Coordinates of all heavy atoms in Angstrom, one line a residue:
D1 N 33.5 136.4 5.5 CA 32.6 135.6 4.7 C 32.8 136.0 3.3 O 32.0 136.9 2.8 CB 31.3 135.6 5.2 CG 30.4 134.5 4.6 OD1 30.8 133.7 3.7 OD2 29.2 134.4 5.0
F2 N 33.5 135.3 2.4 CA 33.6 135.6 1.1 C 34.1 134.4 0.2 O 34.7 133.5 0.7 CB 34.6 136.8 0.8 CG 36.0 136.5 1.0 CD1 36.9 136.0 0.1 CD2 36.5 137.0 2.2 CE1 38.2 135.8 0.4 CE2 37.9 136.8 2.5 CZ 38.7 136.2 1.6
P3 N 33.6 134.3 -1.0 CA 33.9 133.2 -1.8 C 35.4 133.3 -2.4 O 35.9 134.4 -2.8 CB 33.0 133.3 -3.1 CG 32.6 134.7 -3.1 CD 32.7 135.2 -1.8
G4 N 36.2 132.2 -2.2 CA 37.6 132.2 -2.6 C 37.8 131.3 -3.7 O 36.9 130.5 -4.1
P5 N 38.9 131.3 -4.3 CA 39.1 130.4 -5.4 C 39.1 128.9 -5.0 O 38.9 128.1 -5.8 CB 40.7 130.8 -5.8 CG 41.2 131.4 -4.7 CD 40.1 132.1 -3.9
D6 N 39.4 128.6 -3.7 CA 39.3 127.2 -3.3 C 38.0 126.9 -2.5 O 38.0 125.8 -1.9 CB 40.5 126.9 -2.3 CG 41.8 127.0 -3.2 OD1 41.9 126.7 -4.4 OD2 42.8 127.6 -2.6
G7 N 37.1 127.8 -2.4 CA 35.9 127.6 -1.7 C 35.6 128.8 -0.8 O 36.4 129.8 -0.8
R8 N 34.5 128.7 -0.1 CA 34.1 129.8 0.8 C 35.0 130.0 1.9 O 35.2 129.0 2.7 CB 32.6 129.6 1.2 CG 32.1 130.6 2.1 CD 30.6 130.2 2.5 NE 30.1 131.1 3.5 CZ 28.9 130.8 4.1 NH1 28.3 129.5 3.9 NH2 28.3 131.7 5.0
F9 N 35.5 131.2 2.1 CA 36.4 131.5 3.3 C 35.5 132.1 4.4 O 35.1 133.4 4.3 CB 37.5 132.4 2.9 CG 38.6 132.5 4.0 CD1 39.5 131.6 4.1 CD2 38.6 133.6 4.8 CE1 40.5 131.7 5.1 CE2 39.6 133.8 5.7 CZ 40.5 132.7 5.9
L10 N 35.2 131.4 5.5 CA 34.3 131.8 6.5 C 35.0 131.7 7.8 O 35.6 130.6 8.1 CB 33.1 130.9 6.4 CG 32.0 131.0 7.5 CD1 31.4 132.4 7.4 CD2 31.0 130.0 7.4
T11 N 35.0 132.8 8.6 CA 35.7 132.7 9.8 C 34.7 133.3 11.0 O 33.9 134.1 10.7 CB 37.0 133.5 9.9 OG1 36.7 134.9 9.9 CG2 37.9 133.1 8.8
V12 N 35.0 132.8 12.2 CA 34.3 133.4 13.4 C 35.4 133.6 14.4 O 36.6 133.1 14.3 CB 33.3 132.4 13.9 CG1 32.2 132.2 13.0 CG2 33.9 131.0 14.3
G13 N 35.1 134.3 15.5 CA 36.1 134.6 16.5 C 35.4 135.0 17.8 O 34.3 135.5 17.8
V14 N 36.2 135.1 18.9 CA 35.8 135.7 20.0 C 35.7 137.2 19.9 O 36.7 137.7 19.4 CB 36.7 135.3 21.2 CG1 36.4 136.0 22.6 CG2 36.7 133.8 21.5
P15 N 34.7 137.9 20.3 CA 34.7 139.4 20.1 C 35.9 140.0 20.7 O 36.4 139.7 21.8 CB 33.4 139.8 20.9 CG 32.5 138.5 20.9 CD 33.5 137.4 20.9
D16 N 36.5 140.8 19.9 CA 37.8 141.6 20.1 C 38.9 140.7 20.3 O 40.1 141.1 20.8 CB 37.7 142.4 21.4 CG 36.6 143.5 21.3 OD1 36.5 144.0 20.1 OD2 35.8 143.7 22.3
G17 N 38.9 139.4 20.0 CA 40.0 138.4 20.1 C 40.9 138.4 18.7 O 40.2 138.6 17.7
P18 N 42.1 138.1 18.8 CA 43.0 138.2 17.7 C 42.7 137.0 16.7 O 43.1 137.1 15.5 CB 44.3 138.4 18.2 CG 44.3 137.7 19.4 CD 42.9 137.9 20.0
V19 N 42.5 135.8 17.2 CA 42.5 134.5 16.5 C 41.2 134.3 15.9 O 40.1 134.5 16.5 CB 42.9 133.3 17.5 CG1 42.9 132.0 16.6 CG2 44.2 133.5 18.1
Q20 N 41.2 133.9 14.7 CA 39.9 133.5 13.9 C 39.9 132.1 13.6 O 40.9 131.5 13.4 CB 39.9 134.4 12.7 CG 39.7 135.9 12.8 CD 39.6 136.6 11.5 OE1 38.6 136.3 10.8 NE2 40.5 137.6 11.4
I21 N 38.7 131.5 13.7 CA 38.5 130.1 13.4 C 37.9 130.0 11.9 O 36.9 130.6 11.8 CB 37.5 129.5 14.4 CG1 38.1 129.7 15.9 CG2 37.2 128.0 14.0 CD1 37.0 129.5 17.0
I22 N 38.5 129.3 11.1 CA 38.1 129.0 9.8 C 37.2 127.9 9.9 O 37.5 126.8 10.3 CB 39.2 128.8 8.8 CG1 40.2 129.8 8.8 CG2 38.7 128.4 7.4 CD1 41.6 129.5 8.0
L23 N 35.9 128.1 9.4 CA 35.0 127.0 9.2 C 35.1 126.5 7.7 O 34.5 127.0 6.9 CB 33.5 127.4 9.6 CG 33.4 128.0 11.0 CD1 32.0 128.5 11.1 CD2 33.8 127.0 12.0
W24 N 35.9 125.5 7.5 CA 36.2 125.0 6.3 C 35.4 123.8 5.8 O 35.4 122.9 6.6 CB 37.8 124.7 6.2 CG 38.2 124.6 4.8 CD1 38.5 123.4 4.1 CD2 38.3 125.6 3.8 NE1 38.9 123.5 2.8 CE2 38.9 124.9 2.6 CE3 38.2 126.9 3.7 CZ2 39.1 125.6 1.5 CZ3 38.5 127.6 2.6 CH2 38.9 127.0 1.4
S25 N 34.8 123.9 4.7 CA 34.0 122.9 4.1 C 34.9 121.6 3.7 O 35.9 121.8 3.0 CB 33.3 123.3 2.8 OG 32.4 122.3 2.4
H26 N 34.5 120.4 4.3 CA 35.4 119.3 4.1 C 34.5 118.1 4.4 O 33.5 118.2 5.1 CB 36.6 119.3 5.0 CG 37.8 118.5 4.6 ND1 37.7 117.1 4.7 CD2 38.9 118.8 4.0 CE1 38.8 116.6 4.2 NE2 39.6 117.6 3.7
A27 N 35.0 116.9 4.0 CA 34.2 115.7 4.2 C 34.0 115.5 5.8 O 34.9 115.9 6.6 CB 35.1 114.6 3.7
A28 N 33.1 114.8 6.1 CA 32.7 114.5 7.5 C 33.9 113.8 8.2 O 34.5 112.9 7.7 CB 31.5 113.6 7.6
G29 N 34.1 114.2 9.5 CA 35.2 113.5 10.3 C 36.6 113.9 10.1 O 37.4 113.5 10.7
A30 N 36.8 114.9 9.1 CA 38.1 115.3 8.8 C 38.7 116.1 10.0 O 38.1 117.0 10.6 CB 38.2 116.2 7.6
G31 N 39.9 115.8 10.6 CA 40.5 116.6 11.7 C 39.9 116.3 13.0 O 40.2 116.9 13.9

């Protein structure tokens, strides 16, 4: 969780799992 040049970079993941999920701020319904 840190501010980046393009916005807040926030990730979550399964404990001890290698893959992280980026919770990226974007308009509703994107993706």
Side-chain angles (χ1 to χ4, degrees):
D1 188 357
F2 65 84
D6 298 318
R8 180 181 178 191
F9 190 79
L10 175 63
T11 72
V12 296
V14 173
D16 299 322
V19 178
Q20 295 181 57
I21 302 161
I22 301 170
L23 302 177
W24 191 255
S25 184
H26 202 284

